[in-house]
Amino acid sequence: MVLIHNIDLFTVRLVTLIAEYDRDTMVNLYQPLIGHEAVSLYFTLWSESNNQKIIPSSTHESLFVKTQFTVGEFIKARKALEAVGLLKTYLETTEGGRYFHYELYSPKTPNDFFNDTLLYGLLIKCIGEKEAQRAKNIYSIPVNNKMGEDISASFQEVFHPDYEDPAFMKAIKTSKAVGRNQAIIESKFSYEKLFEELSKISQISEKAFLKKDLKELARIATLYGVDEETAAPIINSFYNPNAEKGKRLDFENITKAFQEETNVVYLSSSKSVSTKPKFVSSSGALASKINLMESISPKDFLAILQNGSEPATPDLKLIDNISKKFRLNNSVINAIIDYVLTTNNNVLSRPYCEKVAASLAREGITSTLDAMNYLKKISSGGKERYNGKMESEQYVAPANNKKEKEEDLNWNQLIDDIDIDGGDGNGEA
């Protein structure tokens, strides 16, 4: 994950025509999938594209002030737009600083949306089949009975076009005008990796399936966020080698199994405990770390701790279980992750995590700072003293913190001196 600083500049470019009626499509069809924050960001970037005709670039700080987003909220909303093909993000690093270039795409037309099994399937998953059908009916045009013989004039009848005329030849060679370009919804599901995983547990080969079977597997896996490693044993369980090709997979049970693996839709799920982020106003690496933990999801925080690599499925299940079982918010879960990895030799042990989570839940703790204060008190009796040191400078947002001495990174010495900010969400993280 690439962290964003307030001083980073951004540009917005429309690569499509976006019409006023697209607003209804965004609210009625896309909002249940990506949430109102992402829809708000889309409309804001649309407005910014017009503003930047006068001022070519702006800082992210101005964008955060305008939207009242924290860094974490902005990144989550941006990723949601990217996931459904409404936005593309490019990062340019120059001597003068970093530029984020945002390309804005039009939403699909209602007809294209409902014909897209991935988007329409996700809509059904989010709001239920009855409400999804109701949304579909909004865009249905009733078919009127014919009122008589159609005597309308044709184009050829009126204009008598000569297609060998040079004007038509020029029209063919002319480049296309800007249309309703739509970004492709990217799926990271790999057939090659799937069969690599299947080969470890079965004799199933790619030749056993039709192309439509593979496409349907990828669609369902993408819909429920299941990776190849998780999908392989499920596919193996519902594979019938004696059936004819094209009927060897029980897609109904595969879908149910995938759904059980990821019981929550990530983009539209709400936090178990809704709390406003509590940022700290002190400068320094520790304050930056705390603000980061307040701003981002446990999944992204764990990825940072792993030098950007994707968290393993069992770790994500553990995080989800802690959230549901103990009703802790993201900032406290981030503190648990950091504490357990630090004191348990970089092993995210389920029993240890749940023991710590239970303690924090009983104390009613809702912020990173409070969690660290509590863990500081009990750490002397734990496995190994937790000092909150940062193994990598990628946590540090302000560039001038890179030269701080290691003893300054010890939150046991500094945590009592940190002031709690009002939490307006506009600080760096």
Side-chain angles (χ1 to χ4, degrees), residues 6 60-61 63-65 67-74 276-280 291 294-295 421-429:
N6 286 354
H60 277 83
E61 182 177 17
L63 188 59
F64 298 153
V65 170
T67 59
Q68 291 297 294
F69 280 163
T70 64
V71 176
E73 289 169 341
F74 170 79
K276 190 174 183 180
K278 296 179 181 178
F279 295 96
V280 295
N291 288 340
E294 285 283 343
S295 301
D421 195 1
D424 61 3
N426 294 324
E428 285 188 330

Side-chain angles (χ1 to χ4, degrees), residues 12 55 161 209 259-260 264:
V12 184
I55 303 174
F209 304 113
Q259 188 174 9
E260 289 173 0
V264 180

Side-chain angles (χ1 to χ4, degrees), residues 50-264:
N50 291 321
N51 298 342
Q52 290 190 354
K53 291 176 182 178
I54 301 173
I55 303 174
S57 64
S58 308
T59 65
H60 277 83
E61 182 177 17
S62 67
L63 188 59
F64 298 153
V65 170
K66 182 177 293 186
T67 59
Q68 291 297 294
F69 280 163
T70 64
V71 176
E73 289 169 341
F74 170 79
I75 292 175
K76 180 180 178 181
R78 192 196 75 193
K79 286 184 175 181
L81 293 174
E82 293 165 352
V84 295
L86 294 172
L87 185 70
K88 285 282 188 182
T89 303
Y90 302 91
L91 174 61
E92 179 187 7
T93 303
T94 67
E95 293 182 358
R98 299 195 306 172
Y99 284 82
F100 286 78
H101 300 292
Y102 299 125
E103 287 187 346
L104 210 58
Y105 291 78
S106 64
K108 289 180 178 289
T109 63
N111 182 65
D112 289 341
F113 183 96
F114 292 117
N115 286 332
D116 188 312
T117 55
L118 193 59
L119 290 178
Y120 188 38
L122 190 57
L123 183 66
I124 294 173
K125 181 175 173 63
C126 289
I127 65 176
E129 187 173 1
K130 184 177 180 180
E131 284 299 312
Q133 184 60 47
R134 179 176 174 273
K136 193 173 184 179
N137 291 339
I138 293 174
Y139 296 98
S140 298
I141 299 175
V143 179
N144 294 323
N145 296 326
K146 289 186 177 181
M147 302 177 68
E149 181 184 358
D150 185 358
I151 59 171
S152 306
S154 67
F155 180 85
Q156 289 80 1
E157 183 182 344
V158 175
F159 294 103
H160 309 291
D162 177 7
Y163 294 111
E164 294 183 1
D165 190 286
F168 290 101
M169 298 304 295
K170 289 180 181 179
I172 294 173
K173 295 178 181 179
T174 302
S175 60
K176 291 183 178 180
V178 176
R180 289 184 60 84
N181 299 323
Q182 294 160 352
I184 297 173
I185 299 177
E186 296 182 3
S187 170
K188 293 184 178 180
F189 193 81
S190 166
Y191 299 133
E192 183 178 346
K193 189 172 181 180
L194 172 64
F195 286 105
E196 182 182 325
E197 294 296 329
L198 281 170
S199 67
K200 298 175 184 177
I201 58 174
S202 71
Q203 299 297 318
I204 301 174
S205 69
E206 190 172 354
K207 295 179 180 179
F209 304 113
L210 296 175
K211 185 178 287 187
K212 68 175 184 177
D213 295 331
L214 295 177
K215 287 184 177 180
E216 182 64 6
L217 281 175
R219 183 191 72 80
I220 301 171
T222 303
L223 179 62
Y224 291 103
V226 175
D227 60 18
E228 299 84 356
E229 184 179 358
T230 305
I234 295 174
I235 292 170
N236 185 46
S237 298
F238 297 105
Y239 172 75
N240 181 5
N242 299 320
E244 63 178 284
K245 200 172 183 179
K247 298 182 179 180
R248 293 174 180 172
L249 290 173
D250 183 348
F251 281 109
E252 183 178 350
N253 281 315
I254 289 174
T255 301
K256 289 179 181 178
F258 283 3
Q259 188 174 9
E260 289 173 0
E261 284 294 326
T262 53
N263 211 13
V264 180

